[in-house]
């Protein structure tokens, strides 16, 4: 049995974020494919960290800037190492290449941080979006050093290919891996009359989500509450801080609800999801949840990016506040339009997120690269050059920190 080692930025929290759900999906892919799966992280666990042991996955606590990781990876002798975002590749990539050069390295990008950063800065500074930023230098270098990078967004694959000229052989599109039939269960398919109110859901530590809540509070709800006086706006999310709670206004029917124990069960109780997300990257797990639970959505273009199919949507896409309010009112009030949007959401799930349509190609890609690893690395030799440069800088900085830590004990 071959071993796969995941190195996590954090321990997966599927109840807290779409990133946690995505990570569990990837872990399941390798576990179901017969690999011995290990998950390691230097982060501390929380009460919401998923019990990976119950999935048959070995949990490993590791340290940053510590040679004990070298001993661990030599012992595991992994066939594949998966980095959870480019920051992890920066921290551990040189150690993996030094101690397990035979391991195929996979970067799970989650979403393009360079794009999210660029859009956030553009929104903050009221300037055009500049993707050629400092984050881009680091993230693109990490992609080039890895044998393969998993991309969750077709739009981001296009950016990497056309604007950064990343070779196609280093990228693999792998969307959220869903079971389209899940939404057919009675628990998740309440009808129009059985639902009420509007919902938004998202981890408050994620800046795009926090910004969206502010937009809902200050721009959209003051108008929408007048159009639909019988409805409330409910905001769910993990790790709410005092600034979030300050937006809780029961008399205004704008309610902060904290985290949802089960995002899909919660989503399925509501009539409409509102997602006026102004910046960010990747694809939105909350919208996949909405499709699964038959919850029509009013979204911004950023929220719908790379998720539409021939301009079809499980609701409406608009960036204009007045139009957003109009469309939200229409979806909330018109049962026929609501039901039609629900059907489109189910079709999009079957077309774009059916796990059986993507797993075989992904596993074959890994097998082919692994079987021809030397040739693959020679064909993408820029990555080998970057490894050489990164190895020296990261190695000596890490050794300096390790020595300093030992002296301070």
């Amino acid at each position: 049995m071959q071993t796969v080692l995941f190195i996590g930025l954090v321990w997966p929290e599927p109840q807290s974020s779409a990133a946690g759900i995505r990570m569990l999906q990837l872990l399941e892919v390798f576990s179901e494919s017969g690999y011995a799966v290990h998950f390691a992280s230097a982060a501390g666990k929380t009460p919401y960290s998923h019990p990976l042991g119950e999935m048959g996955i070995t949990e490993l606590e590791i340290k940053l800037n510590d040679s004990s990781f070298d001993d661990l990876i030599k012992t595991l002798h992994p066939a594949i190492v998966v980095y959870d975002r480019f920051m992890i590749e920066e921290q551990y990539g040189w150690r993996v290449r030094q101690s397990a050069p035979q391991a195929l390295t996979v970067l799970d990008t989650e979403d393009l941080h360079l794009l999210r950063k660029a859009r956030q800065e553009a929104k903050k500074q009221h300037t055009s979006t500049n993707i050629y930023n400092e984050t881009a230098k680091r993230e693109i270098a990490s992609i080039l050093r890895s044998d393969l990078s998993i991309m969750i967004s077709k739009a981001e694959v296009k950016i990497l290919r056309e604007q950064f000229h990343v070779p196609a052989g280093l990228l693999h599109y792998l969307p959220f891996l869903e079971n389209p039939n899940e939404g057919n269960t009675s628990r998740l398919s309440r009808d129009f009359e059985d639902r009420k109110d509007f919902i938004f859901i998202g981890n408050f530590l994620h800046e795009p989500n926090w910004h969206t809540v502010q937009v809902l509070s200050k721009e959209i709800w003051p108008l929408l509450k007048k159009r639909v006086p019988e409805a409330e706006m409910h905001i769910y999310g993990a790790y709410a801080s005092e600034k979030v709670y300050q937006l809780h206004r029961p008399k205004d029917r704008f309610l902060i609800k904290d985290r949802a124990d089960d995002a899909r069960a919660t989503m399925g109780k509501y009539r409409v999801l509102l997602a006026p997300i102004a910046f960010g990257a990747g694809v939105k797990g909350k919208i996949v949840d909405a499709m699964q639970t038959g919850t029509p959505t009013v979204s911004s273009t950023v929220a719908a990016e790379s998720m539409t199919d021939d301009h079809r949507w499980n609701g409406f896409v608009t960036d204009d506040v007045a139009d957003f309010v109009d469309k939200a009112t229409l979806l909330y009030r018109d049962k026929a339009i609501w039901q039609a949007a629900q059907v489109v959401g189910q079709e999009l799930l079957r077309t774009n997120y059916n796990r059986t349509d993507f797993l075989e190609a992904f596993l074959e890609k890994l097998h082919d690269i692994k079987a021809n690893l030397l040739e693959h690395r020679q064909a993408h030799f820029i990555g080998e050059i970057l490894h050489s440069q990164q190895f020296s800088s990261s190695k000596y900085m890490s050794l300096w920190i390790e020595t300093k830590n030992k002296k301070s004990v």
Side-chain angles (χ1 to χ4, degrees):
M1 181 180 291
Q2 293 188 318
T3 296
V4 176
L5 172 64
F6 280 74
I7 310 176
L9 181 65
V10 296
W11 293 92
E13 292 186 18
Q15 294 177 330
S16 301
S17 70
I21 294 173
R22 168 68 163 183
M23 180 55 69
L24 285 192
Q25 290 180 346
L26 293 177
L27 290 167
E28 288 173 352
V29 165
F30 284 99
S31 182
E32 292 171 0
S33 299
Y35 289 90
V37 183
H38 295 69
F39 188 95
S41 179
K45 290 185 179 181
T46 76
Y48 303 101
S49 299
H50 193 77
L52 299 179
E54 295 181 4
M55 299 170 59
I57 294 168
T58 302
E59 299 180 350
L60 302 169
E61 295 184 4
I62 55 177
K63 298 178 181 179
L64 277 174
N65 302 308
D66 195 285
S67 57
S68 59
F69 179 83
D70 305 338
D71 298 330
L72 170 66
I73 199 165
K74 288 176 182 177
T75 301
L76 287 177
H77 195 69
I80 301 173
V81 174
V82 181
Y83 303 115
D84 174 21
R85 287 163 271 201
F86 79 90
M87 300 81 82
I88 290 298
E89 189 279 334
E90 287 180 329
Q91 293 167 343
Y92 294 96
W94 70 272
R95 290 185 180 275
V96 170
R97 181 56 74 95
Q98 176 179 262
S99 299
Q102 81 294 336
L104 178 138
T105 57
V106 178
L107 174 61
D108 178 26
T109 58
E110 291 289 348
D111 56 39
L112 270 188
H113 294 72
L114 68 90
L115 182 59
R116 185 203 305 169
K117 179 70 172 177
R119 287 174 170 169
Q120 184 172 338
E121 284 299 308
K123 187 70 177 179
K124 181 179 179 180
Q125 303 297 335
H126 304 287
T127 59
S128 59
T129 302
N130 174 28
I131 62 173
Y132 301 97
N133 50 44
E134 289 301 314
T135 301
K137 296 176 184 177
R138 294 172 56 194
E139 191 165 24
I140 297 298
S142 182
I143 289 171
L144 293 174
R145 284 192 298 265
S146 301
D147 295 317
L148 188 68
S149 288
I150 303 173
M151 307 300 302
I152 202 168
S153 164
K154 289 182 179 179
E156 293 176 3
V157 172
K158 184 176 181 180
I159 288 172
L160 290 177
R161 292 284 293 118
E162 296 182 0
Q163 296 184 249
F164 291 100
H165 307 290
V166 174
L170 295 178
L171 306 174
H172 188 84
Y173 173 64
L174 191 70
F176 280 112
L177 303 172
E178 298 293 319
N179 175 8
N181 295 321
E182 179 183 329
N184 294 329
T185 64
S186 58
R187 182 175 71 90
L188 298 175
S189 58
R190 293 181 177 86
D191 203 1
F192 182 83
E193 290 82 5
D194 298 323
R195 300 177 183 231
K196 64 176 183 176
D197 300 326
F198 297 94
I199 183 176
F200 176 77
I201 188 168
N203 188 326
F204 292 116
L205 296 179
H206 190 52
E207 188 63 27
N209 288 333
W210 165 234
H211 181 270
T212 300
V213 173
Q214 295 176 81
V215 170
L216 286 167
S217 174
K218 299 174 183 178
E219 300 180 30
I220 292 175
W221 188 245
L223 300 175
L224 185 56
K225 69 177 182 180
K226 298 175 183 177
R227 301 282 296 276
V228 192
E230 72 274 21
E232 297 179 346
M233 181 76 235
H234 292 184
I235 308 293
Y236 289 86
Y239 300 107
S241 61
E242 184 57 35
K243 66 181 181 181
V244 178
Y245 291 125
Q246 287 177 358
L247 299 181
H248 182 69
R249 303 187 304 274
K251 292 183 179 179
D252 201 29
R253 310 195 313 277
F254 193 91
L255 307 177
I256 305 298
K257 291 285 195 173
D258 288 319
R259 71 169 64 235
D261 291 334
D262 184 324
R264 292 185 175 177
T266 299
M267 182 83 74
K269 299 175 182 178
Y270 288 85
R271 192 171 291 179
V272 178
L273 168 69
L274 301 182
I277 301 170
F279 58 87
V283 295
K284 309 300 177 284
K286 59 180 66 60
I287 293 178
V288 173
D289 290 342
M291 292 177 183
Q292 280 283 19
T293 58
T295 309
T297 304
V298 186
S299 308
S300 64
T301 53
V302 168
E305 182 178 66
S306 197
M307 300 188 75
T308 57
D309 185 349
D310 295 327
H311 303 291
R312 296 184 302 158
W313 194 240
N314 66 325
F316 299 99
V317 179
T318 178
D319 293 317
D320 179 78
V321 171
D323 189 46
F324 194 100
V325 171
D326 287 342
K327 294 301 191 295
T329 303
L330 183 62
L331 263 184
Y332 197 87
R333 290 277 175 77
D334 194 310
K335 180 177 180 179
I337 292 176
W338 185 89
Q339 289 177 326
Q342 192 178 58
V343 170
V344 171
Q346 292 296 304
E347 292 173 350
L348 289 173
L349 271 179
R350 286 192 293 271
T351 302
N352 298 331
Y353 302 100
N354 191 333
R355 72 192 310 269
T356 58
D357 293 341
F358 295 95
L359 286 185
E360 184 176 353
F362 174 57
L363 293 172
E364 285 183 0
K365 184 69 170 284
L366 293 178
H367 179 270
D368 290 345
I369 295 177
K370 182 63 179 172
N372 302 281
L373 190 57
L374 178 60
E375 292 84 352
H376 178 80
R377 289 174 175 173
Q378 289 176 343
H380 303 98
F381 199 69
I382 295 297
E384 296 301 292
I385 296 172
L386 291 174
H387 257 298
S388 176
Q389 300 299 314
Q390 187 242 11
F391 185 96
S392 297
S393 60
S394 298
K395 175 180 180 180
Y396 291 111
M397 174 59 75
S398 182
L399 292 175
W400 179 82
I401 294 173
E402 182 177 355
T403 301
K404 183 180 178 182
N405 289 341
K406 288 179 179 179
K407 288 181 178 180
S408 63
V409 174

